[in-house]
Amino acid sequence: MRFKYSKPGIDIIPETLERTKQDKALLHGQMTAISHLKKQPLRNCCILCHDSLEQAALFTHRQLAYYLCCRCHHIQSQHIPSEAYPTDTPAGLSFLDVYPKLNTEQFVFRQNRIYKPKYDWIRESLIEFGINEKEIQQKSFLELGAGAGYFLATLKDAGIKHFKGIEQNNFLCNIGNAHLGGNYIQHHQETLSSAIVCHEAQIYIAFFVLEHIQDVKDFFKKLSLAKKGTILVFSVPVFSFATLLESAFEFHAGRNLDNAFHVQLYTDDSIAYALNMAGFSIINQWLFGQDMSDLQRLLTVQLNNRYPPYLEKMMQAKLSAMQDSLQSHIDYAQFCDSRHLICIKEK
Ligand SMILES: [Zn+2]
């Protein structure tokens, strides 16, 4: 297995600034959401390995209880969220608040900043693994949770012939298909496991999707039926430095284990457990995170109006200047907030 570490934080500055602006409202929504979740039924078995949680360790994160499964080390809320959680809560948090509608120029800007580097990394890794450029271009891609189609647009630009996506949110499907100029993203309301069965592909992509699903075990079991040589590329948030910041300080809105969109969290062990169940091996891992950006946001929110403008300006400049170098230490220690993985079915 190969590793790649870090990336410049500059490519996510617009999203970070937006998040800082919305911080108070998001935090309020997250706190309202947990009072709703706490009324839901208790979980008996692990969402990933289905083992009983009777012996599992319990801990509290921002006033919400979580289990750490003692078999697979997957982290999950003690209460089972409803299918629509957190959008069915009084605060009505929705994905659209996180992903605002963009015009063509903004769409391409976001695509090139965030999604093109992901494709470049996949392409380079596969070539290094022995799959040549022509073979990559002829493979069929399916993106699970394609959102507004940024990654599919990158595949189209890269000359990939066969690609499509599925997405639960019809609004995002329409935005994506309009930008892509065709019906590439299908509205999919069933489980993600059913998508694997209905839409066969040679390369499955799932960026920040698998932490949202309830049928985790079924999903990896279905993948175990995929043909030898099938490739799975996915990213998930993990227990990290960002999780600690959220647990130790409750001034800023959560992002990593936010008790709203994220009520389960992978660990390196639970990722290994899932891949073993599916019969996939990791070819390459890219480790980077936004942990330091969270630290800056937390300090900005907490110290707002505390200092005269001269000191405030110095604080922001110094924190920004430190961000990438400190984040790279977290990345190399493998304690950053997410994992990007390229995996292959070996048998
Ligand atoms: Zn488990």
Side-chain angles (χ1 to χ4, degrees):
M1 188 203 321
R2 287 182 176 272
F3 291 97
K4 177 179 176 177
Y5 292 98
S6 303
K7 71 170 183 53
I10 197 160
D11 64 357
I12 50 147
I13 283 177
E15 284 77 10
T16 306
L17 290 174
E18 190 56 37
R19 192 166 260 283
T20 306
K21 266 194 270 171
Q22 293 184 357
D23 200 86
K24 216 172 173 180
L26 268 172
L27 180 61
H28 175 73
Q30 290 165 359
M31 296 316 270
T32 313
I34 62 168
S35 53
H36 192 80
L37 179 53
K38 281 176 177 175
K39 292 179 193 145
Q40 299 298 312
L42 294 172
R43 214 185 278 284
N44 295 317
C45 66
C46 172
I47 194 169
L48 172 56
C49 72
H50 283 196
D51 242 30
S52 162
L53 288 167
E54 218 171 311
Q55 303 296 320
L58 259 179
F59 66 94
T60 304
H61 177 87
R62 297 191 155 211
Q63 300 165 42
L64 192 67
Y66 282 89
Y67 280 122
L68 170 70
C69 173
C70 47
R71 184 176 181 197
C72 72
H73 291 166
H74 198 63
I75 293 166
Q76 54 218 282
S77 57
Q78 187 186 23
H79 295 265
I80 305 171
S82 65
E83 283 292 321
Y85 183 80
T87 53
D88 57 354
T89 62
L93 287 167
S94 93
F95 279 102
L96 302 180
D97 300 325
V98 185
Y99 303 111
K101 195 176 175 182
L102 308 173
N103 64 32
T104 304
E105 197 184 325
Q106 291 166 320
F107 183 95
V108 173
F109 181 55
R110 185 175 160 91
Q111 178 194 330
N112 288 336
R113 273 182 304 129
I114 299 174
Y115 293 88
K116 189 172 181 301
K118 291 187 202 285
Y119 176 73
D120 290 342
W121 169 66
I122 295 166
R123 181 185 156 275
E124 284 158 22
S125 302
L126 293 181
I127 288 174
E128 201 177 67
F129 188 71
I131 303 172
N132 67 41
E133 181 93 53
K134 202 175 165 195
E135 288 168 327
I136 295 171
Q137 290 199 333
Q138 282 168 352
K139 287 203 181 288
S140 56
F141 285 70
L142 177 73
E143 187 178 13
L144 306 163
Y150 299 103
F151 187 72
L152 294 182
T154 309
L155 292 180
K156 192 179 182 188
D157 291 350
I160 303 296
K161 308 277 183 301
H162 310 287
F163 66 88
K164 61 181 178 179
I166 56 153
E167 169 57 46
Q168 204 175 31
N169 183 321
N170 203 23
F171 182 79
L172 290 177
C173 288
N174 293 337
I175 295 177
N177 285 329
H179 282 289
L180 287 160
N183 197 22
Y184 294 98
I185 309 175
Q186 291 180 18
H187 189 209
H188 181 89
Q189 287 184 297
E190 304 301 312
T191 60
L192 216 56
S193 333
S194 71
I196 298 276
V197 179
C198 305
H199 305 275
E200 206 177 308
Q202 291 164 305
I203 302 187
Y204 290 102
I205 308 280
F207 293 130
F208 296 112
V209 174
L210 304 183
E211 68 277 19
H212 298 291
I213 62 171
Q214 297 291 326
D215 56 327
V216 189
K217 182 171 184 178
D218 203 22
F219 175 80
F220 285 101
K221 279 281 177 199
K222 289 280 188 320
L223 271 178
S224 73
L225 306 172
K227 289 187 185 126
K228 183 184 172 187
T230 300
I231 289 161
L232 169 69
V233 181
F234 71 104
S235 56
V236 283
V238 290
F239 181 80
S240 59
F241 189 69
T243 329
L244 306 190
L245 290 178
E246 286 171 10
S247 277
F249 308 101
E250 297 187 1
F251 315 120
H252 63 310
R255 184 186 56 80
N256 174 252
L257 188 56
D258 67 359
N259 291 345
F261 294 111
H262 295 166
V263 287
Q264 61 172 310
L265 207 51
Y266 287 79
T267 60
D268 286 324
D269 278 353
S270 72
I271 291 172
Y273 184 94
L275 290 176
N276 186 45
M277 186 158 59
F280 280 70
S281 306
I282 302 171
I283 296 174
N284 206 331
Q285 272 204 64
W286 189 1
L287 293 99
F288 60 87
Q290 299 174 38
D291 312 79
M292 282 308 297
S293 154
D294 280 357
L295 179 60
Q296 182 163 358
R297 180 165 52 88
L298 146 64
L299 293 173
T300 304
V301 169
Q302 177 62 4
L303 302 176
N304 188 28
N305 298 327
R306 179 81 59 96
Y307 296 119
Y310 172 83
L311 295 178
E312 164 82 23
K313 209 173 157 188
M314 185 193 291
M315 173 180 101
Q316 291 301 346
K318 297 290 183 191
L319 287 171
S320 296
M322 284 158 42
Q323 216 179 92
D324 278 2
S325 60
L326 289 183
Q327 182 65 49
S328 79
H329 287 283
I330 300 173
D331 298 342
Y332 275 92
Q334 306 197 342
F335 204 31
C336 50
D337 65 33
S338 53
R339 298 286 180 274
H340 280 65
L341 301 118
I342 303 174
C343 316
I344 189 158
K345 182 98 195 306
E346 287 189 308
K347 287 180 209 155

